[in-house]
Structures are given as structure tokens and as C-alpha cells.
Amino acid sequence: MIADLGVTAPKPMKRIGTIDRPLTHDPRNQAPMSLPTSEPAGSATQDVTLIGASDSRQNRTREMQLIPEALARAHMHDRMREADADRQALRLISARRMQRRAERASMRARRALAMAVMH
């Protein structure tokens, strides 16, 4: 009926957020900041919203998070190498010990044989 009188219905206003109460807290959905007109172009540092900036930032944080894993992996690799070297040294020591024992047994057998032949 209002349309018959030539008056249009009010359109719902688009809400615009303020600094204290932003429309959204997600920075990707917020309106981009406009450059101040009082400052000449190029006087301040350039805008850092480059295409690959967020990707490189994400890669950097991912790399930073993976550093402790890489350090732990390197530490475990060193420990495994140390353990292998220790095991090899123990095998060498036990082999030498068994060789000396076998040599002593061989000498005893020779002596026993010589004693048996002499008598």
C-alpha cells in the first residue's frame, strides 16, 4: 500500500564497523586501509601486503616449527652412530678376548701332547 502513495520502503542500511566495534574481526574480511592524504606517496615504508608475503610467512613459521624435529633427528642420528661404534668396539674387544683364550687353550693342548709323547 505504501507503494501506491509513491513512497518507497526504506532499504536496510549496510552496517559499517568502527574502530572500537569492527564489523568482523577477521582481517581478511575487513576493508583495506586507505593511505592518508596528508602524507606524500612513497614517503613511508611501502605496503607489505605483497602476494607471496603470507605464503613466505607461513613457510617461515612452518620451518621454525620443524627446527626442533630436525635437531632431534640429527641428535638421534648421532646417538645411533655412537651406539653402533660402541657395539663394534665391544665386538672387537670380545673377539680379541676369545682369541687369547683360544691361544691359551691351544698352548695347553700342545703342552699336554708334548708331555704325553715324552712319557
Side-chain angles (χ1 to χ4, degrees), residues 36-40:
T37 57
S38 64
E39 197 172 301

Side-chain angles (χ1 to χ4, degrees), residues 14-76:
K14 186 175 180 183
R15 286 185 52 209
I16 300 174
T18 63
I19 292 177
D20 293 333
R21 294 176 185 264
L23 183 62
T24 176
H25 290 287
D26 189 5
R28 290 174 289 184
N29 295 337
Q30 290 177 357
M33 291 179 59
S34 60
L35 293 174
T37 57
S38 64
E39 197 172 301
S43 65
T45 58
Q46 289 188 354
D47 194 11
V48 290
T49 58
L50 300 174
I51 300 284
S54 63
D55 292 340
S56 67
R57 228 183 339 265
Q58 284 178 347
N59 286 338
R60 189 171 31 227
T61 58
R62 194 174 302 127
E63 288 170 8
M64 293 292 282
Q65 289 172 352
L66 294 178
I67 285 174
E69 286 184 27
L71 285 173
R73 198 175 297 115
H75 183 66
M76 285 303 295

